[in-house]
Amino acid sequence: MTHTPPDVREDNGDPPEPGGGAGPEGPPADPAEVVRLADRILGGLGLEITASGRDAGATIEIDLDGPDRDHLLDRRGEALDALQYLLNRIVYRGRRGKKIHLDCGGFRRIRDDEVVEIALRTAEKVRARGEESVLSPLNPYERRLVHLALKDVAGVETRSLGDGFMKRVAIVPTGNPKDDTGRAES
């Protein structure tokens, strides 16, 4: 089953959405400048990876490719997440602006689908067994995907556990069963 998750990101250090949060509204970042910065950082790390970018309306989308791209994707894309965080911090320096989203060979889409699929399978097990299940630690964006994917699933609810950036999501059976539309039965 392929699921296209909504493009919603929870705050993981990226600048707030335009019109919200602290900091003055600055001029929008130029995708070409973001690409040059990404290329400089990656080159400085000795990686053969090139960036291409586009303004996607609410975000600036940067795609990375090259022979060393696997270094960014190891450990569930932690380096890709770190680079995205760093680019947002350097480009905006405390002011609001369009979020910069990085992807590398479609990794984000594939990972999003994987996280949602794991959540849905786990929810089915929780419903069948009636016992709570806890997922592996997830970053804020992935946790949000889980919460959104399961918010209307009958018989389960979710909550985040732990402190810090990486937290676990508990999928728990509800005491009040829901019908197929997600409404509580009377």
Side-chain angles (χ1 to χ4, degrees), residues 112-127:
D112 291 355
D113 289 346
E114 179 182 275
V115 167
V116 169
E117 184 62 32
I118 289 167
L120 291 171
R121 280 196 318 254
T122 303
E124 286 304 313
K125 289 178 187 174
V126 166
R127 284 172 37 157

Side-chain angles (χ1 to χ4, degrees), residues 70-84:
D70 288 345
H71 294 292
L72 295 176
L73 305 179
D74 286 345
R75 299 180 59 148
R76 291 192 234 161
E78 285 181 5
L80 188 65
D81 290 339
L83 181 59
Q84 177 174 296

Side-chain angles (χ1 to χ4, degrees), residues 24 46 48 58 78 90 118 124 145 147-148 158 160 164 170-171 176:
E48 286 187 55
E78 285 181 5
I90 291 171
I118 289 167
E124 286 304 313
L145 287 177
H147 294 303
L148 290 173
T158 60
S160 293
I171 302 173
N176 187 9

Side-chain angles (χ1 to χ4, degrees), residues 19-50:
E25 182 76 39
D30 176 15
E33 289 176 24
V34 177
V35 165
R36 282 192 293 278
L37 178 59
D39 283 338
R40 279 196 351 245
I41 292 170
L42 293 165
L45 293 170
L47 298 174
E48 286 187 55
I49 299 173
T50 56

